[in-house]
Amino acid sequence: MALTRRALKAMGIDEEKIDEIISMHSETVDGLKADVAKYKADAEALPEVQKQLEKAQADLEAGKKDSYKVKYEALKEEFEGYKTEQTKKESRAAKEKAYRALLQEAGVSEKRLESVLKVSDVDSVELDDKGAIKGADKLTESIKSEWADFITTTETRGAQTSNPPANNNSGAMTKADIYKKDDHGRYVLSAAERQKALMENQIT
């Protein structure tokens, strides 16, 4: 039953009271209408809110993936840099080893070897599959020319013909061989060598 002025009069309520009741009733109804409108608006907005929530969740997951990806890329870059550095060190060590050997073959003094190696353009040389320097012959000539003052030479002298060494590898010696004399009438072998030769050849 609707609450109307006529119904209230029929109940015998005073006019003044009727106005008060109608006013209170109107406020209540207006409040309920406002609540209904709010709930309706909230209900209509719920799908959009749900979409926003789902989007926020998706963005969060994507952010996590991106974070892991960034970390992975950083670690990968660091590892690649480490491998490159190690390769450079190994290449440098191999070139230094080959260049040092070439300096030795060229006759550079051992005392000057490291000094020459430090100022040489080791990085520019190329190695073949066996680790040897390409164009080694040409480079050796260049080293001999550039570092001539640091190259040592060894003079090999032949034995004096007037006093040749005992030929212990030529086989058995005769007594005449052991007591052989040079052009000046001196024994070719010393007393100790003659004694040893006599014993080795079992000559009495």
Side-chain angles (χ1 to χ4, degrees):
M1 176 180 176
L3 184 62
T4 63
R5 186 177 293 276
R6 180 182 296 179
L8 293 174
K9 282 183 178 181
M11 294 178 186
I13 300 174
D14 294 338
E15 190 69 28
E16 185 178 344
K17 294 291 185 181
I18 290 174
D19 290 338
E20 187 176 343
I21 291 171
I22 292 296
S23 177
M24 292 174 60
H25 178 66
S26 297
E27 290 178 0
T28 301
V29 171
D30 290 342
L32 291 174
K33 286 181 178 180
D35 289 342
V36 170
K38 179 178 180 300
Y39 295 148
K40 183 179 179 181
D42 289 344
E44 291 175 350
L46 184 59
E48 183 62 27
V49 172
Q50 182 65 30
K51 288 181 181 179
Q52 292 179 2
L53 180 61
E54 291 175 354
K55 183 178 183 302
Q57 184 67 27
D59 291 343
L60 178 61
E61 293 298 326
K64 289 181 180 179
K65 291 180 180 179
D66 289 342
S67 177
Y68 291 138
K69 184 177 180 180
V70 169
K71 290 180 180 179
Y72 169 76
E73 292 296 337
L75 288 173
K76 182 180 179 182
E77 183 178 355
E78 182 179 351
F79 178 66
E80 291 297 331
Y82 170 77
K83 286 200 304 182
T84 300
E85 187 64 25
Q86 287 300 113
T87 300
K88 287 182 179 179
K89 288 181 179 179
E90 291 174 2
S91 176
R92 172 73 185 189
K95 289 182 178 182
E96 280 191 1
K97 181 180 179 181
Y99 206 97
R100 183 181 286 105
L102 199 66
L103 291 174
Q104 291 173 329
E105 291 177 7
V108 175
S109 171
E110 288 290 336
K111 295 180 180 180
R112 302 290 186 179
L113 202 60
E114 293 302 322
S115 298
V116 173
L117 189 62
K118 286 180 181 179
V119 297
S120 298
D121 188 11
V122 177
D123 291 324
S124 66
V125 302
E126 295 182 18
L127 304 181
D128 58 21
D129 296 338
K130 296 181 180 179
I133 295 177
K134 294 181 180 179
D137 293 340
K138 185 177 181 180
L139 184 56
T140 299
E141 292 302 320
S142 175
I143 290 171
K144 288 181 177 180
S145 174
E146 184 176 359
W147 303 105
D149 293 341
F150 293 165
I151 292 177
T152 58
T153 56
T154 303
E155 183 179 355
T156 304
R157 296 182 179 179
Q160 295 181 1
T161 56
S162 60
N163 189 23
N167 187 5
N168 295 326
N169 297 324
S170 61
M173 296 179 67
T174 64
K175 192 172 184 179
D177 293 331
I178 296 172
Y179 287 96
K180 183 178 180 180
K181 295 181 179 181
D182 60 17
D183 297 335
H184 301 284
R186 294 174 298 189
Y187 287 109
V188 173
L189 301 179
S190 65
E193 290 173 337
R194 293 198 301 272
Q195 185 64 31
K196 181 180 179 182
L198 289 170
M199 293 177 63
E200 289 177 346
N201 291 276
Q202 298 180 356
I203 298 174
T204 58

